[in-house]
Short mmCIF file of all heavy atoms in Angstrom, two decimals:
data_model
loop_
_atom_site.label_atom_id
_atom_site.label_comp_id
_atom_site.label_asym_id
_atom_site.label_seq_id
_atom_site.Cartn_x
_atom_site.Cartn_y
_atom_site.Cartn_z
N MET A 1 66.72 184.07 70.87
CA MET A 1 66.81 184.33 72.29
C MET A 1 65.75 185.37 72.68
O MET A 1 65.54 186.34 71.99
CB MET A 1 68.21 184.84 72.65
CG MET A 1 68.36 185.12 74.11
SD MET A 1 69.92 185.90 74.61
CE MET A 1 71.11 184.85 73.88
N ASN A 2 65.13 185.15 73.80
CA ASN A 2 64.12 186.07 74.31
C ASN A 2 64.81 187.19 75.08
O ASN A 2 65.39 186.94 76.14
CB ASN A 2 63.14 185.30 75.21
CG ASN A 2 62.03 186.17 75.74
OD1 ASN A 2 62.12 187.40 75.72
ND2 ASN A 2 61.00 185.54 76.24
N PRO A 3 64.80 188.45 74.60
CA PRO A 3 65.53 189.53 75.27
C PRO A 3 64.99 189.84 76.67
O PRO A 3 65.74 190.25 77.54
CB PRO A 3 65.38 190.72 74.34
CG PRO A 3 64.22 190.40 73.48
CD PRO A 3 64.13 188.90 73.40
N VAL A 4 63.70 189.63 76.90
CA VAL A 4 63.14 189.88 78.23
C VAL A 4 63.70 188.85 79.20
O VAL A 4 64.15 189.17 80.30
CB VAL A 4 61.60 189.84 78.20
CG1 VAL A 4 61.04 189.95 79.61
CG2 VAL A 4 61.05 190.94 77.31
N PHE A 5 63.68 187.61 78.81
CA PHE A 5 64.21 186.55 79.65
C PHE A 5 65.70 186.77 79.90
O PHE A 5 66.18 186.66 81.01
CB PHE A 5 63.97 185.19 79.00
CG PHE A 5 64.45 184.04 79.83
CD1 PHE A 5 63.73 183.65 80.95
CD2 PHE A 5 65.59 183.34 79.51
CE1 PHE A 5 64.16 182.59 81.74
CE2 PHE A 5 66.03 182.28 80.27
CZ PHE A 5 65.30 181.90 81.40
N HIS A 6 66.43 187.15 78.86
CA HIS A 6 67.87 187.38 78.99
C HIS A 6 68.15 188.51 79.98
O HIS A 6 69.04 188.40 80.82
CB HIS A 6 68.48 187.70 77.64
CG HIS A 6 69.94 187.99 77.71
ND1 HIS A 6 70.87 187.01 77.98
CD2 HIS A 6 70.64 189.14 77.59
CE1 HIS A 6 72.08 187.55 78.00
NE2 HIS A 6 71.97 188.84 77.77
N ALA A 7 67.40 189.58 79.91
CA ALA A 7 67.63 190.72 80.81
C ALA A 7 67.41 190.31 82.26
O ALA A 7 68.10 190.78 83.16
CB ALA A 7 66.71 191.87 80.44
N ARG A 8 66.47 189.41 82.49
CA ARG A 8 66.17 188.99 83.86
C ARG A 8 67.17 187.98 84.39
O ARG A 8 67.27 187.78 85.60
CB ARG A 8 64.76 188.42 83.93
CG ARG A 8 63.71 189.50 83.74
CD ARG A 8 62.32 188.96 83.63
NE ARG A 8 62.01 187.92 84.59
CZ ARG A 8 60.94 187.15 84.53
NH1 ARG A 8 60.07 187.32 83.57
NH2 ARG A 8 60.73 186.22 85.43
N THR A 9 67.89 187.31 83.52
CA THR A 9 68.82 186.27 83.97
C THR A 9 70.28 186.62 83.72
O THR A 9 71.15 185.82 84.02
CB THR A 9 68.52 184.94 83.25
OG1 THR A 9 68.68 185.12 81.86
CG2 THR A 9 67.13 184.44 83.57
N LYS A 10 70.55 187.79 83.21
CA LYS A 10 71.92 188.16 82.87
C LYS A 10 72.84 188.07 84.08
O LYS A 10 73.96 187.55 83.99
CB LYS A 10 71.96 189.56 82.27
CG LYS A 10 73.32 189.94 81.76
CD LYS A 10 73.28 191.28 81.07
CE LYS A 10 74.64 191.64 80.52
NZ LYS A 10 74.61 192.93 79.84
N HIS A 11 72.40 188.53 85.24
CA HIS A 11 73.24 188.48 86.43
C HIS A 11 73.54 187.04 86.83
O HIS A 11 74.61 186.76 87.35
CB HIS A 11 72.59 189.25 87.58
CG HIS A 11 71.37 188.60 88.13
ND1 HIS A 11 70.15 188.68 87.51
CD2 HIS A 11 71.18 187.85 89.24
CE1 HIS A 11 69.26 188.00 88.20
NE2 HIS A 11 69.86 187.48 89.25
N VAL A 12 72.62 186.13 86.58
CA VAL A 12 72.87 184.72 86.89
C VAL A 12 74.00 184.19 86.01
O VAL A 12 74.88 183.47 86.47
CB VAL A 12 71.59 183.88 86.70
CG1 VAL A 12 71.89 182.40 86.88
CG2 VAL A 12 70.52 184.35 87.68
N GLU A 13 74.00 184.55 84.73
CA GLU A 13 75.06 184.13 83.83
C GLU A 13 76.41 184.65 84.29
O GLU A 13 77.40 183.92 84.29
CB GLU A 13 74.78 184.62 82.41
CG GLU A 13 73.57 183.97 81.77
CD GLU A 13 73.24 184.57 80.42
OE1 GLU A 13 74.14 185.14 79.79
OE2 GLU A 13 72.08 184.48 80.02
N VAL A 14 76.47 185.90 84.70
CA VAL A 14 77.73 186.49 85.17
C VAL A 14 78.21 185.75 86.41
O VAL A 14 79.39 185.40 86.52
CB VAL A 14 77.55 188.00 85.44
CG1 VAL A 14 78.78 188.56 86.13
CG2 VAL A 14 77.27 188.73 84.15
N ASP A 15 77.31 185.49 87.34
CA ASP A 15 77.67 184.76 88.56
C ASP A 15 78.16 183.36 88.24
O ASP A 15 79.13 182.87 88.83
CB ASP A 15 76.49 184.68 89.52
CG ASP A 15 76.15 186.02 90.13
OD1 ASP A 15 76.96 186.96 90.02
OD2 ASP A 15 75.06 186.13 90.72
N TYR A 16 77.48 182.70 87.30
CA TYR A 16 77.86 181.34 86.91
C TYR A 16 79.29 181.32 86.40
O TYR A 16 80.10 180.48 86.81
CB TYR A 16 76.91 180.80 85.84
CG TYR A 16 77.41 179.54 85.19
CD1 TYR A 16 77.28 178.32 85.84
CD2 TYR A 16 78.05 179.58 83.95
CE1 TYR A 16 77.76 177.16 85.27
CE2 TYR A 16 78.52 178.42 83.37
CZ TYR A 16 78.38 177.21 84.02
OH TYR A 16 78.86 176.07 83.46
N TYR A 17 79.64 182.24 85.50
CA TYR A 17 81.00 182.25 84.93
C TYR A 17 82.04 182.63 85.98
O TYR A 17 83.15 182.10 86.00
CB TYR A 17 81.08 183.18 83.72
CG TYR A 17 80.32 182.62 82.55
CD1 TYR A 17 79.17 183.24 82.07
CD2 TYR A 17 80.74 181.45 81.93
CE1 TYR A 17 78.47 182.70 81.01
CE2 TYR A 17 80.04 180.91 80.86
CZ TYR A 17 78.91 181.54 80.41
OH TYR A 17 78.21 181.00 79.37
N PHE A 18 81.69 183.52 86.89
CA PHE A 18 82.60 183.90 87.97
C PHE A 18 82.92 182.68 88.83
O PHE A 18 84.09 182.38 89.11
CB PHE A 18 81.96 185.01 88.82
CG PHE A 18 82.78 185.40 90.02
CD1 PHE A 18 83.81 186.31 89.90
CD2 PHE A 18 82.51 184.85 91.26
CE1 PHE A 18 84.56 186.67 91.00
CE2 PHE A 18 83.26 185.20 92.36
CZ PHE A 18 84.29 186.11 92.23
N VAL A 19 81.89 181.96 89.25
CA VAL A 19 82.08 180.79 90.10
C VAL A 19 82.82 179.69 89.33
O VAL A 19 83.73 179.06 89.86
CB VAL A 19 80.73 180.28 90.64
CG1 VAL A 19 80.89 178.93 91.35
CG2 VAL A 19 80.12 181.30 91.58
N ARG A 20 82.45 179.47 88.08
CA ARG A 20 83.10 178.44 87.27
C ARG A 20 84.59 178.70 87.16
O ARG A 20 85.41 177.78 87.31
CB ARG A 20 82.47 178.40 85.89
CG ARG A 20 83.01 177.25 85.04
CD ARG A 20 82.47 177.28 83.65
NE ARG A 20 83.08 178.42 82.95
CZ ARG A 20 82.94 178.65 81.66
NH1 ARG A 20 82.18 177.88 80.94
NH2 ARG A 20 83.53 179.68 81.09
N ASP A 21 84.98 179.95 86.95
CA ASP A 21 86.40 180.29 86.85
C ASP A 21 87.13 180.04 88.17
O ASP A 21 88.25 179.54 88.18
CB ASP A 21 86.58 181.74 86.43
CG ASP A 21 86.16 182.00 84.99
OD1 ASP A 21 86.02 181.01 84.22
OD2 ASP A 21 85.95 183.18 84.65
N ARG A 22 86.48 180.38 89.27
CA ARG A 22 87.11 180.17 90.58
C ARG A 22 87.26 178.68 90.90
O ARG A 22 88.26 178.27 91.49
CB ARG A 22 86.31 180.85 91.70
CG ARG A 22 86.26 182.37 91.60
CD ARG A 22 87.66 182.96 91.55
NE ARG A 22 87.69 184.38 91.59
CZ ARG A 22 87.65 185.18 90.53
NH1 ARG A 22 87.53 184.68 89.34
NH2 ARG A 22 87.71 186.49 90.65
N VAL A 23 86.30 177.88 90.51
CA VAL A 23 86.40 176.43 90.70
C VAL A 23 87.54 175.88 89.85
O VAL A 23 88.34 175.07 90.32
CB VAL A 23 85.06 175.73 90.37
CG1 VAL A 23 85.23 174.22 90.33
CG2 VAL A 23 83.99 176.12 91.39
N ALA A 24 87.64 176.32 88.61
CA ALA A 24 88.70 175.85 87.72
C ALA A 24 90.09 176.20 88.27
O ALA A 24 91.03 175.42 88.12
CB ALA A 24 88.52 176.46 86.32
N LYS A 25 90.19 177.35 88.93
CA LYS A 25 91.48 177.77 89.52
C LYS A 25 91.69 177.17 90.91
O LYS A 25 92.69 177.45 91.57
CB LYS A 25 91.52 179.30 89.65
CG LYS A 25 91.54 180.02 88.33
CD LYS A 25 91.50 181.52 88.56
CE LYS A 25 91.42 182.29 87.26
NZ LYS A 25 91.30 183.74 87.49
N LYS A 26 90.73 176.34 91.35
CA LYS A 26 90.77 175.70 92.68
C LYS A 26 90.83 176.72 93.81
O LYS A 26 91.41 176.48 94.85
CB LYS A 26 91.90 174.70 92.77
CG LYS A 26 91.77 173.57 91.76
CD LYS A 26 92.80 172.50 91.98
CE LYS A 26 92.80 171.48 90.89
NZ LYS A 26 91.75 170.54 90.88
N GLU A 27 90.23 177.88 93.58
CA GLU A 27 90.15 178.90 94.63
C GLU A 27 88.96 178.67 95.55
O GLU A 27 88.98 179.12 96.69
CB GLU A 27 90.04 180.29 93.99
CG GLU A 27 91.27 180.69 93.23
CD GLU A 27 91.14 182.02 92.51
OE1 GLU A 27 90.04 182.61 92.48
OE2 GLU A 27 92.16 182.48 91.99
N ILE A 28 87.95 177.98 95.04
CA ILE A 28 86.80 177.61 95.87
C ILE A 28 86.39 176.18 95.54
O ILE A 28 86.74 175.65 94.49
CB ILE A 28 85.58 178.55 95.66
CG1 ILE A 28 85.08 178.50 94.22
CG2 ILE A 28 85.90 179.96 96.08
CD1 ILE A 28 83.78 179.26 94.01
N GLN A 29 85.67 175.57 96.47
CA GLN A 29 85.11 174.24 96.26
C GLN A 29 83.60 174.34 96.38
O GLN A 29 83.09 175.08 97.23
CB GLN A 29 85.62 173.25 97.31
CG GLN A 29 87.08 172.92 97.17
CD GLN A 29 87.50 171.92 98.23
OE1 GLN A 29 86.93 171.86 99.32
NE2 GLN A 29 88.52 171.14 97.91
N ILE A 30 82.91 173.61 95.55
CA ILE A 30 81.46 173.58 95.57
C ILE A 30 81.02 172.32 96.31
O ILE A 30 81.49 171.23 96.01
CB ILE A 30 80.88 173.56 94.13
CG1 ILE A 30 81.40 174.75 93.34
CG2 ILE A 30 79.37 173.51 94.17
CD1 ILE A 30 80.97 176.09 93.88
N ARG A 31 80.15 172.50 97.28
CA ARG A 31 79.61 171.36 98.02
C ARG A 31 78.09 171.38 97.94
O ARG A 31 77.49 172.45 97.94
CB ARG A 31 80.03 171.41 99.49
CG ARG A 31 81.52 171.23 99.68
CD ARG A 31 81.89 171.18 101.13
NE ARG A 31 81.55 172.46 101.74
CZ ARG A 31 81.36 172.64 103.05
NH1 ARG A 31 81.47 171.65 103.87
NH2 ARG A 31 81.05 173.83 103.51
N PHE A 32 77.50 170.21 97.90
CA PHE A 32 76.06 170.10 97.88
C PHE A 32 75.50 170.39 99.27
O PHE A 32 76.04 169.92 100.28
CB PHE A 32 75.64 168.68 97.45
CG PHE A 32 74.17 168.45 97.55
CD1 PHE A 32 73.32 168.92 96.56
CD2 PHE A 32 73.62 167.80 98.63
CE1 PHE A 32 71.95 168.73 96.64
CE2 PHE A 32 72.26 167.60 98.72
CZ PHE A 32 71.42 168.07 97.72
N ILE A 33 74.45 171.17 99.32
CA ILE A 33 73.71 171.42 100.56
C ILE A 33 72.25 171.17 100.26
O ILE A 33 71.69 171.78 99.35
CB ILE A 33 73.91 172.86 101.08
CG1 ILE A 33 75.39 173.09 101.38
CG2 ILE A 33 73.05 173.11 102.30
CD1 ILE A 33 75.72 174.47 101.86
N SER A 34 71.65 170.25 100.99
CA SER A 34 70.25 169.91 100.72
C SER A 34 69.36 171.12 100.96
O SER A 34 69.69 172.02 101.73
CB SER A 34 69.79 168.74 101.59
OG SER A 34 69.65 169.15 102.92
N SER A 35 68.23 171.13 100.30
CA SER A 35 67.34 172.28 100.41
C SER A 35 66.84 172.48 101.83
O SER A 35 66.58 173.61 102.24
CB SER A 35 66.16 172.14 99.45
OG SER A 35 65.41 171.00 99.75
N GLN A 36 66.74 171.43 102.60
CA GLN A 36 66.27 171.60 103.98
C GLN A 36 67.32 172.23 104.89
O GLN A 36 67.02 172.67 105.99
CB GLN A 36 65.77 170.29 104.56
CG GLN A 36 66.81 169.22 104.70
CD GLN A 36 66.20 167.90 105.11
OE1 GLN A 36 64.99 167.79 105.27
NE2 GLN A 36 67.03 166.89 105.28
N ASP A 37 68.57 172.30 104.41
CA ASP A 37 69.65 172.92 105.19
C ASP A 37 70.04 174.29 104.67
O ASP A 37 71.02 174.88 105.16
CB ASP A 37 70.87 172.01 105.19
CG ASP A 37 70.62 170.70 105.93
OD1 ASP A 37 69.84 170.72 106.90
OD2 ASP A 37 71.19 169.68 105.52
N GLN A 38 69.33 174.84 103.71
CA GLN A 38 69.65 176.15 103.14
C GLN A 38 69.21 177.26 104.10
O GLN A 38 68.03 177.42 104.37
CB GLN A 38 68.94 176.34 101.79
CG GLN A 38 69.44 175.42 100.71
CD GLN A 38 70.79 175.83 100.17
OE1 GLN A 38 71.25 176.95 100.37
NE2 GLN A 38 71.42 174.93 99.47
N LEU A 39 70.16 178.02 104.61
CA LEU A 39 69.83 179.10 105.54
C LEU A 39 68.93 180.16 104.90
O LEU A 39 68.14 180.80 105.59
CB LEU A 39 71.10 179.76 106.07
CG LEU A 39 71.91 178.94 107.07
CD1 LEU A 39 73.19 179.67 107.44
CD2 LEU A 39 71.11 178.65 108.31
N ALA A 40 69.04 180.34 103.60
CA ALA A 40 68.21 181.34 102.92
C ALA A 40 66.73 181.03 103.05
O ALA A 40 65.90 181.94 102.93
CB ALA A 40 68.60 181.43 101.45
N ASN A 41 66.39 179.78 103.32
CA ASN A 41 64.98 179.42 103.45
C ASN A 41 64.27 180.23 104.53
O ASN A 41 63.08 180.49 104.43
CB ASN A 41 64.82 177.93 103.74
CG ASN A 41 65.10 177.08 102.54
OD1 ASN A 41 65.15 177.57 101.42
ND2 ASN A 41 65.28 175.79 102.75
N VAL A 42 64.99 180.63 105.55
CA VAL A 42 64.37 181.39 106.63
C VAL A 42 63.85 182.74 106.12
O VAL A 42 62.91 183.30 106.67
CB VAL A 42 65.33 181.56 107.83
CG1 VAL A 42 66.38 182.61 107.56
CG2 VAL A 42 64.58 181.88 109.11
N PHE A 43 64.43 183.24 105.04
CA PHE A 43 64.02 184.52 104.48
C PHE A 43 62.98 184.41 103.38
O PHE A 43 62.30 185.38 103.07
CB PHE A 43 65.23 185.27 103.91
CG PHE A 43 66.29 185.56 104.94
CD1 PHE A 43 67.52 184.94 104.87
CD2 PHE A 43 66.04 186.46 105.96
CE1 PHE A 43 68.50 185.21 105.81
CE2 PHE A 43 67.02 186.75 106.89
CZ PHE A 43 68.24 186.11 106.83
N ILE A 44 62.89 183.24 102.74
CA ILE A 44 62.06 183.15 101.53
C ILE A 44 60.92 182.16 101.61
O ILE A 44 60.10 182.13 100.70
CB ILE A 44 62.93 182.81 100.29
CG1 ILE A 44 63.63 181.47 100.47
CG2 ILE A 44 63.93 183.91 100.03
CD1 ILE A 44 64.38 181.00 99.23
N LYS A 45 60.83 181.36 102.66
CA LYS A 45 59.79 180.34 102.74
C LYS A 45 59.11 180.35 104.10
O LYS A 45 59.76 180.62 105.12
CB LYS A 45 60.39 178.94 102.53
CG LYS A 45 60.96 178.70 101.17
CD LYS A 45 61.47 177.28 101.08
CE LYS A 45 62.03 177.00 99.70
NZ LYS A 45 62.54 175.64 99.59
N PRO A 46 57.83 180.03 104.11
CA PRO A 46 57.21 179.80 105.41
C PRO A 46 57.72 178.46 105.95
O PRO A 46 57.73 177.46 105.22
CB PRO A 46 55.72 179.74 105.09
CG PRO A 46 55.64 179.38 103.64
CD PRO A 46 56.90 179.90 103.00
N LEU A 47 58.23 178.46 107.15
CA LEU A 47 58.82 177.25 107.71
C LEU A 47 58.08 176.80 108.96
O LEU A 47 57.52 177.64 109.70
CB LEU A 47 60.28 177.51 108.09
CG LEU A 47 61.24 177.89 106.97
CD1 LEU A 47 62.59 178.28 107.56
CD2 LEU A 47 61.40 176.72 106.01
N PRO A 48 58.13 175.51 109.24
CA PRO A 48 57.61 175.05 110.53
C PRO A 48 58.44 175.68 111.65
O PRO A 48 59.61 176.03 111.45
CB PRO A 48 57.82 173.54 110.50
CG PRO A 48 58.13 173.19 109.09
CD PRO A 48 58.62 174.42 108.42
N THR A 49 57.86 175.83 112.80
CA THR A 49 58.53 176.50 113.93
C THR A 49 59.89 175.88 114.23
O THR A 49 60.86 176.59 114.47
CB THR A 49 57.63 176.46 115.18
OG1 THR A 49 56.40 177.08 114.87
CG2 THR A 49 58.28 177.18 116.35
N ALA A 50 59.98 174.56 114.22
CA ALA A 50 61.24 173.90 114.55
C ALA A 50 62.34 174.28 113.55
O ALA A 50 63.46 174.60 113.96
CB ALA A 50 61.05 172.38 114.57
N SER A 51 62.04 174.26 112.27
CA SER A 51 63.04 174.63 111.26
C SER A 51 63.42 176.10 111.38
O SER A 51 64.60 176.46 111.29
CB SER A 51 62.49 174.38 109.85
OG SER A 51 62.24 173.03 109.65
N PHE A 52 62.42 176.96 111.60
CA PHE A 52 62.69 178.38 111.75
C PHE A 52 63.63 178.62 112.93
O PHE A 52 64.59 179.39 112.83
CB PHE A 52 61.39 179.15 111.96
CG PHE A 52 61.60 180.62 112.14
CD1 PHE A 52 61.73 181.45 111.04
CD2 PHE A 52 61.70 181.18 113.41
CE1 PHE A 52 61.94 182.81 111.19
CE2 PHE A 52 61.91 182.53 113.57
CZ PHE A 52 62.03 183.35 112.46
N THR A 53 63.39 177.95 114.02
CA THR A 53 64.22 178.12 115.22
C THR A 53 65.66 177.69 114.97
O THR A 53 66.60 178.38 115.37
CB THR A 53 63.61 177.33 116.40
OG1 THR A 53 62.27 177.78 116.60
CG2 THR A 53 64.40 177.54 117.67
N VAL A 54 65.84 176.58 114.28
CA VAL A 54 67.20 176.11 113.96
C VAL A 54 67.94 177.14 113.13
O VAL A 54 69.07 177.52 113.43
CB VAL A 54 67.14 174.74 113.22
CG1 VAL A 54 68.51 174.38 112.64
CG2 VAL A 54 66.66 173.66 114.16
N PHE A 55 67.30 177.64 112.07
CA PHE A 55 67.94 178.64 111.21
C PHE A 55 68.17 179.94 111.97
O PHE A 55 69.20 180.60 111.80
CB PHE A 55 67.11 178.90 109.96
CG PHE A 55 67.09 177.75 108.99
CD1 PHE A 55 65.93 177.41 108.33
CD2 PHE A 55 68.23 177.01 108.74
CE1 PHE A 55 65.90 176.36 107.42
CE2 PHE A 55 68.22 175.96 107.84
CZ PHE A 55 67.05 175.64 107.18
N TYR A 56 67.23 180.32 112.79
CA TYR A 56 67.33 181.54 113.59
C TYR A 56 68.61 181.52 114.43
O TYR A 56 69.37 182.47 114.46
CB TYR A 56 66.08 181.62 114.46
CG TYR A 56 65.97 182.80 115.38
CD1 TYR A 56 65.43 184.00 114.92
CD2 TYR A 56 66.36 182.73 116.71
CE1 TYR A 56 65.29 185.08 115.77
CE2 TYR A 56 66.23 183.80 117.56
CZ TYR A 56 65.70 184.99 117.08
OH TYR A 56 65.57 186.05 117.92
N PHE A 57 68.85 180.39 115.09
CA PHE A 57 70.05 180.29 115.92
C PHE A 57 71.33 180.14 115.09
O PHE A 57 72.37 180.66 115.49
CB PHE A 57 69.91 179.15 116.93
CG PHE A 57 68.99 179.51 118.07
CD1 PHE A 57 67.75 178.92 118.18
CD2 PHE A 57 69.36 180.45 119.02
CE1 PHE A 57 66.90 179.26 119.21
CE2 PHE A 57 68.51 180.81 120.05
CZ PHE A 57 67.28 180.20 120.15
N LYS A 58 71.25 179.50 113.95
CA LYS A 58 72.43 179.39 113.09
C LYS A 58 72.86 180.75 112.57
O LYS A 58 74.04 181.00 112.34
CB LYS A 58 72.16 178.45 111.91
CG LYS A 58 72.21 176.99 112.27
CD LYS A 58 72.05 176.13 111.04
CE LYS A 58 72.15 174.67 111.40
NZ LYS A 58 72.05 173.82 110.19
N LEU A 59 71.89 181.63 112.34
CA LEU A 59 72.20 182.97 111.86
C LEU A 59 72.61 183.92 112.98
O LEU A 59 72.98 185.07 112.73
CB LEU A 59 70.98 183.55 111.12
CG LEU A 59 70.67 182.89 109.79
CD1 LEU A 59 69.32 183.34 109.28
CD2 LEU A 59 71.75 183.24 108.77
N ARG A 60 72.54 183.46 114.21
CA ARG A 60 72.92 184.26 115.39
C ARG A 60 72.13 185.56 115.47
O ARG A 60 72.68 186.65 115.66
CB ARG A 60 74.41 184.54 115.40
CG ARG A 60 75.23 183.28 115.48
CD ARG A 60 76.69 183.60 115.51
NE ARG A 60 77.44 182.36 115.55
CZ ARG A 60 78.74 182.30 115.49
NH1 ARG A 60 79.45 183.39 115.39
NH2 ARG A 60 79.34 181.14 115.53
N VAL A 61 70.83 185.44 115.28
CA VAL A 61 69.95 186.60 115.36
C VAL A 61 69.67 186.90 116.82
O VAL A 61 69.31 186.01 117.59
CB VAL A 61 68.63 186.33 114.61
CG1 VAL A 61 67.68 187.49 114.75
CG2 VAL A 61 68.91 186.05 113.15
N ASP A 62 69.86 188.13 117.21
CA ASP A 62 69.58 188.55 118.59
C ASP A 62 68.24 189.28 118.62
O ASP A 62 67.90 190.03 117.70
CB ASP A 62 70.66 189.51 119.11
CG ASP A 62 72.00 188.81 119.28
OD1 ASP A 62 72.01 187.60 119.60
OD2 ASP A 62 73.04 189.47 119.10
N PRO A 63 67.49 189.08 119.69
CA PRO A 63 66.22 189.81 119.79
C PRO A 63 66.48 191.30 119.93
O PRO A 63 67.53 191.73 120.42
CB PRO A 63 65.57 189.24 121.05
CG PRO A 63 66.64 188.52 121.79
CD PRO A 63 67.74 188.21 120.81
N LEU A 64 65.52 192.09 119.49
CA LEU A 64 65.64 193.54 119.64
C LEU A 64 65.61 193.90 121.12
O LEU A 64 64.87 193.30 121.90
CB LEU A 64 64.48 194.24 118.92
CG LEU A 64 64.49 194.15 117.40
CD1 LEU A 64 63.19 194.73 116.84
CD2 LEU A 64 65.67 194.91 116.83
N PRO A 65 66.40 194.88 121.52
CA PRO A 65 66.36 195.29 122.93
C PRO A 65 65.02 195.91 123.25
O PRO A 65 64.43 196.62 122.43
CB PRO A 65 67.49 196.31 123.06
CG PRO A 65 67.81 196.72 121.67
CD PRO A 65 67.36 195.64 120.74
N SER A 66 64.51 195.62 124.42
CA SER A 66 63.23 196.21 124.81
C SER A 66 63.45 197.68 125.22
O SER A 66 64.49 198.04 125.75
CB SER A 66 62.59 195.44 125.94
OG SER A 66 63.49 195.33 127.03
N THR A 67 62.47 198.49 124.92
CA THR A 67 62.62 199.91 125.23
C THR A 67 61.81 200.31 126.43
O THR A 67 60.94 199.68 126.89
CB THR A 67 62.15 200.78 124.03
OG1 THR A 67 60.82 200.41 123.69
CG2 THR A 67 63.07 200.56 122.87
#
């Protein structure tokens, strides 16, 4: 095992087991969401204006008040 790789992915492993246990206990359900519908994309990818606007409104972002 590569210890550098492990250190960088350890939190992913913990999250995976946490979610897996909750699914097994039927406390949560996992649903597929296509990549084009991922709200996180607005924070991590350059998006076309139309997609950005859709996510912007889904997140209920308000413009800064003018001073």
Side-chain angles (χ1 to χ4, degrees):
M1 180 186 309
N2 182 343
V4 174
F5 182 74
H6 178 71
R8 290 173 43 192
T9 61
K10 186 175 182 180
H11 69 281
V12 174
E13 293 174 24
V14 171
D15 290 347
Y16 168 79
Y17 290 113
F18 176 83
V19 171
R20 186 185 71 172
D21 291 343
R22 295 305 186 270
V23 170
K25 293 177 184 176
K26 299 188 188 284
E27 294 176 353
I28 62 172
Q29 291 181 332
I30 304 297
R31 293 184 297 158
F32 174 79
I33 299 178
S34 72
S35 61
Q36 64 188 1
D37 294 327
Q38 293 285 344
L39 287 176
N41 287 346
V42 77
F43 300 112
I44 61 174
K45 294 182 179 179
L47 298 172
T49 303
S51 297
F52 180 84
T53 303
V54 168
F55 290 141
Y56 180 86
F57 285 109
K58 283 185 178 182
L59 290 169
R60 298 181 182 175
V61 176
D62 292 328
L64 291 173
S66 55
T67 55

